[in-house]
Amino acid sequence: MRSNISPLLPFDLRVEYKANPLGIDTITPRLSWKLGVSDDDAAHRGQMQFAYQIVVASTPAKLAAGDADLWDSGKIFSNSTVNISYEGRTLSSGQTAYWQVVAWDRDDVATAPSEMAFWQAGIMDQSDWRAEWIHAPLPRYTDLPAAAYMRGVVELKGVLSKATLFATALGVYEPYVNGTRVGDAFLAPGWTDYSKRVAYQTYDVTSLVNTGSNAIGAILGDGWYAGYVGFQKQRELYGDRPHFLAQVLVEYTDRTSEMVGTDGSWTTSYGPIQYSDLLQGELFDARLNLGDWSGPDYDASSWTPVAMSKVSPDIRVVADVAPAVRITERIAAISVTEAPTGSFIFDLGQNFSGIVELKASGPAGTMVRIRHAEMLNTDGTLYVTNIRAAKATDTYILSGASEEILCPTFTFHGFRYVELTGYPLAAGQALPPLDTVTGCVLESDTEATGSFECSHPMVNQLWTNVLWGQRGNFLSVPTDCPQRDERLGWMADAQIFIRTATYNRNIASFMTKWMQDVVDAQMPSGSFTDFAPKPAKFPWCEFGAPAWADAGVIVPWTLSQVYGDKEILRKHYDSLRRYFDYLVETNPELLWTKNMGNNYGDWLSIDADTDKELLATAYFAHDASLMTQIAFRLGEIEDAERYQKFFAEIKAEFVRAYVERDGQLKGHTQAAYVVALRFDLLDDVHRALAVKHLVKDIKARGTHLSTGFVGVGYLCPVLSDAGYDDVAYSLLLNDTFPSWGYSIKHGATTIWERWDGWTDTKGFQTADMNSFNHYSLGSVGEWLYRYVAGIDLHPSGAGFETILLQPRPDKRLSFAKGSFDSVHGLIQSEWRIGDGQIAWSVTVPPNTTATAIVPTTNEDSVMEGGRPASSAPGIHFEHSNEREVVFTLRSGTYRFTAAYD
Ligand code: BGC
């Protein structure tokens, strides 16, 4: 019987992946929602969206009254819920659109309307920028100049209804209005190629602005624009001092509006931030407190007028698509000790990126120095040689106030341990109290989407370490490491880790922004670079190395698959085409042997140097294969056929050049087999032989891996695909050198850059390159989700619209569970084995389907909810073999049991 209330409900409405975003500057932003069911009763299995209607209005009242004055999509017969382009009236700069969705379920019954959501337009037309770029014309005496404080006063005459601040900097800034810090972002506007593009941020400042006199302020630091970046002790990569641009859109109740912003009337001064540099740290002299410097009544008569900046019109000022960098967690210290040097060492128990908040009280002029380190030397002092030329030191000069809480503004560090020198102990204190320092985790604020847990504590710690590796390195750009003088957007690191990253966190907008950085860095030749953004002063990485440059193809393809995002492919298709053409033009024999740039190979492998030309050619073929799929997806059929032909030809050349008759690959390394297998470069006979050689090599090394960055992410998936789950598990559970477990056995709380970052026999590796927070080797996370928990993308199902559920239990674990909140909703999988049985429960979100592979040798034993699986609602039996039984599931929650021995 039909009910007139659908059990479905649209929720979690998104615009360009964000909930209620401010500052969207595309004319046709993409709208998405998820569908929930009111209960997960078996009767609701297979709920689908049969149709939808989007309504968009210029005010909440109009929306509520059914007056969709901006857009009414009408009833659209489609099950799409992801990335649907807005086709309504073009919004004006700063205009807010309010929207709702109604869906019709599989019985064509309408759902209740979703909750109202909104987005606010950014600056839609460059001519709407009335503000002008300004800078502080103050002397900059050292290589670590002071931060500039800037303020401007505007008189507002009418009665206000809304105020929106648009602001950005060539540099980094912190905005203020009438004495209040605006928002909670750190290091805005983030790092882009400032010679081409800078992002502005949009803030609702309605509650901070009043009729009458209003002050707008900003603190301005050097950041990536003018401060130290990279490992060559270089600064001023884009300019010699920072610049600032801001304007407020003020809307009045009489429906008039005005734009007021930075201009020549602003003034500037130095203040307590004596310097603040990303790599070197901050010097903050609290005695120089400026008081209410961004308040309207502040006496700024001693301040200097700002100077107007000549910023090239070629630098595009665009709306920020990335998530803001924020403090996402506060970490309490777990111990404090006195080091032989007399300093105090705090252990925060976790290696992470961020800053320390210091609590102190002492006489004015007391200098407290904070140094940061990932590890300790055996004598208990900080191990800081691995951070190379980065000083990563914050210094505070106390004002003498009774309790001072101090935190740096424009820097971050990668650390677990904190050393305090000069801390004023109170009378009778032998050590500072533990709460003297608090760790503040800084990261691009991406939402958690994945979880994983199993019966093995070491594996759980590994998953945690992988996640912390991501959190520590996704800070405006995906960096290699957060602690030393490097912190660059290295491309191989990002491409090998991206699949893992997409499970852990919703990185769609973070990576959409970075992909633009990758394209901005593309050379006129077509080559992508080794890292992005790539400052012009770093010319040595312009010929992108194999597996590094290829991130330019792998990253957008992965995003399109995981998030159902076709637009990222369309947007960058020309760049991708140019890159592939460049590879073909420079390597017409179809072996990638020329123009290999810095050619890093399978970076940081262990006693196993993979042939670099083999590796490069494998990636060349992989590019051809991905380009084929990308072109098909975009409907570029002729291109697709051309790329397919290239794939076949490169593959043939690969086999001719690097594969022996017995299936051995040139150089015979694990990484060589892994890329050849993963990229489908072998025929059936050679494939079977190659798998045997791979497994033999692993066993010959005492069941140890030898792969570096490039092979490691594919190692366990390739073994599983070839039927060697047991070997993959052995690698996972290993705790002898080299293995993930080895680092955990020695206290790792993040993923190390090198397998041998520290060993029993040699201690620390060379400090020249020894980070303890590099995520690349953590790319095993993908395998934990895809094969251990068993949550995978179905090849036909971009955006997890169709799901592959394929857990591969191993008796060394008694249970494992994982979840992934996809753009189509929450997917869950949990298995438990014992007593000759497997119990496996899964959740398939509404409006999706899943292929579920039950690992059992006994087809008849498969039950769901206590009845034979084949007769349970929502389930369709597909086929079985001696290892598994395959079903198609419609949405819902299922509880399987089956024989398992
Ligand atoms: C970085 C790596 C990077 C590599 C290039 C290193 O210094 O830390 O992560 O990919 O250089 O080989």
Side-chain angles (χ1 to χ4, degrees), residues 480-481 484 486 490 493 548 600 603 709 753 769 774:
D480 54 338
C481 55
R484 68 183 178 217
E486 183 137 14
W490 284 98
D493 309 41
W548 269 253
Y600 309 101
W603 189 244
F709 278 27
E753 175 174 26
M769 222 184 61
H774 244 71

Side-chain angles (χ1 to χ4, degrees), residues 597-856:
N598 293 311
N599 203 7
Y600 309 101
D602 183 29
W603 189 244
L604 301 180
S605 57
I606 284 286
D607 295 331
D609 288 339
T610 296
D611 185 276
K612 289 184 177 171
E613 295 183 358
L614 176 154
L615 202 61
T617 304
Y619 267 89
F620 189 11
H622 189 46
D623 291 335
S625 158
L626 295 184
M627 288 303 289
T628 309
Q629 297 175 72
I630 290 168
F632 267 125
R633 189 98 198 277
L634 294 177
E636 302 284 351
I637 304 303
E638 272 176 36
D639 282 4
E641 285 165 355
R642 193 171 76 94
Y643 293 127
Q644 199 162 31
K645 195 156 164 275
F646 271 121
F647 175 65
E649 288 169 4
I650 300 168
K651 180 170 165 172
E653 285 306 306
F654 179 91
V655 171
R656 193 187 53 73
Y658 308 120
V659 185
E660 308 280 324
R661 278 168 76 90
D662 66 353
Q664 281 224 26
L665 294 185
K666 187 173 177 198
H668 185 55
T669 63
Q670 293 177 19
Y673 293 111
V674 162
V675 290
L677 290 162
R678 169 77 172 225
F679 298 159
D680 187 23
L681 303 182
L682 306 173
D683 59 33
D684 288 350
V685 175
H686 283 133
R687 190 179 306 126
L689 291 168
V691 169
K692 289 213 168 76
H693 289 303
L694 169 63
V695 172
K696 204 166 140 202
D697 184 82
I698 293 170
K699 296 217 164 129
R701 290 169 186 266
T703 315
H704 284 105
L705 47 74
S706 69
T707 50
F709 278 27
V710 177
V712 65
Y714 306 140
L715 178 61
C716 288
V718 155
L719 288 167
S720 279
D721 287 341
Y724 286 93
D725 292 316
D726 58 327
V727 179
Y729 271 99
S730 295
L731 295 176
L732 176 75
L733 300 175
N734 219 343
D735 66 2
T736 51
F737 178 80
S739 66
W740 294 283
Y742 186 75
S743 68
I744 292 168
K745 197 165 70 179
H746 292 101
T749 59
T750 35
I751 300 292
W752 295 353
E753 175 174 26
R754 330 172 59 122
W755 298 116
D756 58 357
W758 187 92
T759 59
D760 302 288
T761 45
K762 294 191 184 144
F764 288 118
Q765 245 288 2
T766 167
D768 290 350
M769 222 184 61
N770 200 15
S771 139
F772 291 93
N773 195 358
H774 244 71
Y775 53 63
S776 301
L777 300 180
S779 48
V780 65
E782 168 185 340
W783 182 76
L784 295 178
Y785 284 103
R786 291 179 57 205
Y787 295 85
V788 180
I791 299 173
D792 203 355
L793 253 175
H794 192 278
S796 71
F800 287 81
E801 191 180 342
T802 50
I803 302 157
L804 180 59
L805 297 167
Q806 51 158 1
R808 308 288 180 89
D810 182 282
K811 287 209 174 123
R812 286 166 280 183
L813 303 185
S814 61
F815 82 90
K817 61 178 177 180
S819 68
F820 173 56
D821 196 4
S822 74
V823 285
H824 280 95
L826 185 66
I827 306 165
Q828 289 174 300
S829 168
E830 174 171 2
W831 56 259
R832 216 163 263 282
I833 48 176
D835 300 330
Q837 251 212 353
I838 177 165
W840 180 35
S841 58
V842 292
T843 302
V844 180
N847 206 30
T848 68
T849 56
T851 298
I853 304 179
V854 182
T856 181

